[in-house]
Amino acid sequence: MAEKQLKLCGLLVMLLVCNMNAYLVRGQEDGAGSTERKALAPALFIFGDSLIDNGNNNNLASLAKANYFPYGIDFNGGSTGRFSNGYTMVDTIAELLGLPLIPPYSEASGDQIRYGVNYASAAAGILDDTGRNFVGRIPFNQQIKNFESTLDQITGILGAPDVSQSVAKSIFFIGMGSNDYLNNYLMPNYNTKYQYNAQQYADLLSEQYSQQVTRLYNLGARRFAIAGLGLMGCIPSILAQSSNGICSEEVNQLVLPFNTNTKAMINNLSANLPGSRFSYVDTRNMFQDLLANAGTYGFSAVNRGCCGIGRNRGQITCLPFQTPCPDRKQYIFWDAFHPTEAVNILFGQKAFNGNTEFAYPINIQQLASL
């Protein structure tokens, strides 16, 4: 037992202990071998849903999984559980921070966790009841508990002062809320739409959301990047529900109060949580800009999935071993719900170093440099 603990200590001693302003990270292997570069933050901790899940649902009894071909067709590791043909948005952000790709909580251990952990889970929501149609998923509340378990493991070995200092300099990326609409409010077997109007539901979510972010703050988090909801009325799954193939303004308007509330939540928490700093990642503005300038960005297919079945390739999402479109870099959407790698990379770049139209009041690069 003592020998195992000593070995684990050796692996974890490198975790987030450095209290310098810049951190040396071993670069990922490429054709020329690995290189050292400075990281802007000691670690990246990720909380969210299928937009940024990278495998946490793989071993769950869940209908929300992506660990099969053709998911990951353009990813070096193949079908890892990412709901994309390749990178997710946070993969890009991790690389831009100078960090390696962050492992999923379900697989992370020892030396793997020294640059952060991804706790995101497909079908997860702010509300625990969200996503129950998919059976297994890890709601935001449980994701926070999983982070707490990670902290306990590290603190028991390294001691609270070192861990506390490093966690305070780490980036906490949170992208929640999509499923609280798609797989709760808009689902026929949920009563929430009859209990709350759009504003009341957004208020319910925001109250819970604020408590959850505060819990992370109380666990030592200080630098938060919180993503708003995109134009959910424009995803292939929603487009496929009408014959005209145009965005559902009703759905886009439905989620608008949530984004407004999230911005207000950030302002309130900034004023009331000493030492906290926030970046609001405006996914809605990113999507509006992308759809208005699709050709400029190199996209020609804007209203259908690259892999899916039916109208807009969005009535049934990407099935195992289905043949996807060959020109994936020209598609905005990979399947019925999720963007392609090309869009994820673009949005990750805008979140990292974009102007205040896309990241407010500061971007993630500025957040990490504080």
Side-chain angles (χ1 to χ4, degrees), residues 263-282:
K263 295 174 192 175
M265 176 191 78
I266 286 173
N267 291 335
N268 181 59
L269 293 177
S270 296
N272 290 287
L273 300 180
S276 66
R277 297 300 297 267
F278 290 84
S279 173
Y280 175 73
V281 178
D282 201 324

Side-chain angles (χ1 to χ4, degrees), residues 22-84:
Y23 306 81
L24 284 178
V25 176
R26 177 70 60 183
Q28 292 190 343
E29 286 289 333
D30 55 25
S34 62
T35 58
E36 281 193 343
R37 62 192 185 277
K38 286 185 177 180
L40 296 179
L44 173 64
F45 294 99
I46 300 159
F47 305 81
D49 51 36
S50 58
L51 290 169
I52 50 180
D53 183 358
N54 63 344
N56 284 310
N57 279 22
N58 289 356
N59 297 318
L60 295 182
S62 175
L63 298 175
K65 295 186 181 185
N67 57 339
Y68 57 84
F69 184 86
Y71 285 94
I73 188 173
D74 298 312
F75 187 76
N76 189 39
S79 303
T80 59
R82 288 169 168 81
F83 287 74
S84 170

Side-chain angles (χ1 to χ4, degrees), residues 106-138:
S106 60
E107 299 176 10
S109 63
D111 187 58
Q112 287 182 308
I113 65 177
R114 62 191 175 117
Y115 298 124
V117 177
N118 186 334
Y119 302 91
S121 169
I126 293 169
L127 303 178
D128 288 347
D129 193 44
T130 287
R132 68 167 184 259
N133 291 350
F134 291 91
V135 193
R137 75 276 185 211
I138 309 168

Side-chain angles (χ1 to χ4, degrees), residues 203-217:
D203 292 345
L204 173 72
L205 294 176
S206 299
E207 181 181 2
Q208 178 86 330
Y209 208 9
S210 180
Q211 293 172 6
Q212 291 163 331
V213 174
T214 301
R215 280 174 59 197
L216 285 173
Y217 173 87

Side-chain angles (χ1 to χ4, degrees), residues 182 231-249 251-252 291 301-305 310-315 332-333 335-337:
L182 289 175
L231 292 174
M232 288 167 52
C234 299
I235 65 175
S237 174
I238 298 295
L239 293 176
Q241 295 176 25
S242 67
S243 57
N244 57 22
I246 62 174
C247 297
S248 168
E249 200 52 38
V251 173
N252 285 337
L291 292 175
V302 302
N303 63 352
R304 61 189 184 276
R311 187 184 296 129
N312 302 93
R313 294 187 197 153
Q315 289 178 298
I332 288 178
F333 296 102
D335 61 12
F337 302 96

Side-chain angles (χ1 to χ4, degrees), residues 289-305:
D289 172 63
L290 176 58
L291 292 175
N293 303 287
T296 304
Y297 286 114
F299 297 97
S300 58
V302 302
N303 63 352
R304 61 189 184 276

Side-chain angles (χ1 to χ4, degrees), residues 4 59 70 85 131 166 172 177 194 202 238 242 248 300-301 319 322 336 342 348:
K4 286 181 69 177
N59 297 318
N85 58 306
S166 297
F172 285 72
Y194 307 114
I238 298 295
S242 67
S248 168
S300 58
L319 296 173
Q322 183 178 349

